[in-house]
Amino acid sequence: MPSALSPRPRAALRRPATESFPMRCLLIGVALLFLVLFLFVPLVSVFVEAFRKGFSYYCDSITNHDAWAAIKLTLLVAAISVPLNTVFGVAASWCIAKYQFRGRSLLVTLVDLPFAVSPVISGLIYVLVFGLQGWFGPWLRAHNIQIIFAVPGIVLATIFVTFPFVARELIPLMETQGNDAEYAALTLGANGWQTFWRVTLPNIKWGLFYGIILCNARAMGEFGAVSVVSGHIRGLTNTLPLHVELLFNDYNLAGSFACASLLILLALVTLGLKSFIEWRNSRTHQEPPP
């Protein structure tokens, strides 16, 4: 039996703090109230307004020419920007986590830069660089190349806004894993590519999938930067978020909410994939090694 001056047992130190039953009910009730008021009710309201004029009007709103062009452009921009950001994220995280070099802190800061810069500012930067009155504007006009108010500008703005997501998921993961497995593979005669494909990539695959999902969600829902560089041309440079704003400004509330419901459905699919990856990742870590 420990004396009065002896330290407390470790089990007692690790014992979690417990709240009374009324306090637990209060905390859970406050959390549920916030979820209902600020998440569930707005989401339900979007679908209620989307179907206010009937299912046929809803279908017409999401399948007309302008809406379909906005959907295709949104998917196209995501299909271009997400793979490019994936390549950059893997390369940047590999470089930052596996090597020590001069300028490493600067590279980490640059990776985080889009988190600190307003998307509107990033769009204005591209207008300054590639616009008709910008730095490369006269040369682009002379060669009949249009970036601003066209698809290339939308892709560039989306890439800038979304490129930290994959890298930010992989950098802590790679730093935690260390370099022992890679050193062992190199010692056994594997070259750089073999080490990456057979050792590094299997260890980071779930974190990579998670970063890709977040990057894709932001790419499809980006508004600020795309709004600056798109020019809001109906049926040509309007992505789905811009098309929602355009319909709302035209007082077509049912049509705007119908298109907004598509964005919500895409977000729900993204959350479903995110939850699956988290579940699969936890299962992977819980399974005993063979």
Side-chain angles (χ1 to χ4, degrees), residues 137-208:
W139 184 88
L140 293 173
R141 180 171 51 187
H143 292 79
N144 198 24
I145 300 174
Q146 184 173 2
I147 294 180
I148 303 302
F149 304 153
V151 175
I154 298 174
V155 172
L156 288 175
T158 304
I159 290 174
F160 178 86
V161 172
T162 59
F163 82 81
F165 287 91
V166 175
R168 264 296 151 206
E169 289 297 323
L170 294 182
I171 290 173
L173 180 60
M174 287 187 175
E175 289 178 340
T176 302
Q177 292 176 349
N179 300 327
D180 294 341
E182 284 82 0
Y183 288 153
L186 293 173
T187 302
L188 294 174
N191 57 36
W193 281 109
Q194 290 174 333
T195 301
F196 174 77
W197 286 107
R198 298 184 180 182
V199 178
T200 304
L201 188 60
N203 291 332
I204 65 171
K205 61 180 179 180
W206 296 115
L208 178 61

Side-chain angles (χ1 to χ4, degrees), residues 198-255:
R198 298 184 180 182
V199 178
T200 304
L201 188 60
N203 291 332
I204 65 171
K205 61 180 179 180
W206 296 115
L208 178 61
F209 289 155
Y210 186 65
I212 290 174
I213 288 174
L214 293 179
C215 181
N216 181 70
R218 180 61 188 274
M220 291 190 296
E222 174 56 32
F223 178 84
V226 173
S227 177
V228 175
V229 301
S230 69
H232 296 272
I233 304 174
R234 283 181 185 264
L236 292 177
T237 62
N238 269 347
T239 59
L240 196 52
L242 299 182
H243 186 63
V244 171
E245 184 206 26
L246 185 65
L247 293 176
F248 186 82
N249 291 336
D250 290 341
Y251 300 99
N252 185 359
L253 299 183

Side-chain angles (χ1 to χ4, degrees), residues 269-281:
V269 171
T270 301
L271 289 176
L273 291 174
K274 169 181 170 293
S275 300
F276 170 76
I277 288 177
E278 290 176 344
W279 170 79
R280 188 65 180 86
N281 191 25

Side-chain angles (χ1 to χ4, degrees), residues 6-20:
S6 62
R8 298 177 63 185
R10 290 185 178 181
L13 293 175
R14 291 198 301 264
R15 185 178 304 160
T18 58
E19 301 290 347
S20 62

Side-chain angles (χ1 to χ4, degrees), residues 13-125:
L13 293 175
R14 291 198 301 264
R15 185 178 304 160
T18 58
E19 301 290 347
S20 62
F21 180 74
M23 180 58 68
R24 290 201 301 269
C25 292
L26 177 61
L27 293 176
I28 294 173
V30 171
L32 291 177
L33 180 62
F34 270 78
L35 287 175
V36 170
L37 291 180
F38 297 106
L39 183 63
F40 183 74
V41 171
L43 291 180
V44 172
S45 300
V46 170
F47 286 96
V48 170
E49 292 295 329
F51 289 97
R52 180 175 294 277
K53 293 186 177 182
F55 183 75
S56 60
Y57 188 86
Y58 176 87
C59 293
D60 293 338
S61 298
I62 63 176
T63 57
N64 63 60
H65 176 267
D66 292 343
W68 186 238
I71 294 171
K72 290 192 294 184
L73 180 59
T74 301
L75 297 176
L76 175 64
V77 171
I80 296 174
S81 59
V82 172
L84 293 176
N85 284 328
T86 301
V87 173
F88 167 81
V90 173
S93 57
W94 174 284
C95 182
I96 292 171
K98 303 296 182 179
Y99 300 100
Q100 295 293 332
F101 54 91
R102 185 177 299 176
R104 181 176 179 273
S105 299
L106 177 61
L107 180 57
V108 175
T109 302
L110 293 177
V111 169
D112 292 335
L113 184 62
F115 287 143
V117 176
S118 170
V120 176
I121 301 301
S122 63
L124 290 175
I125 292 173

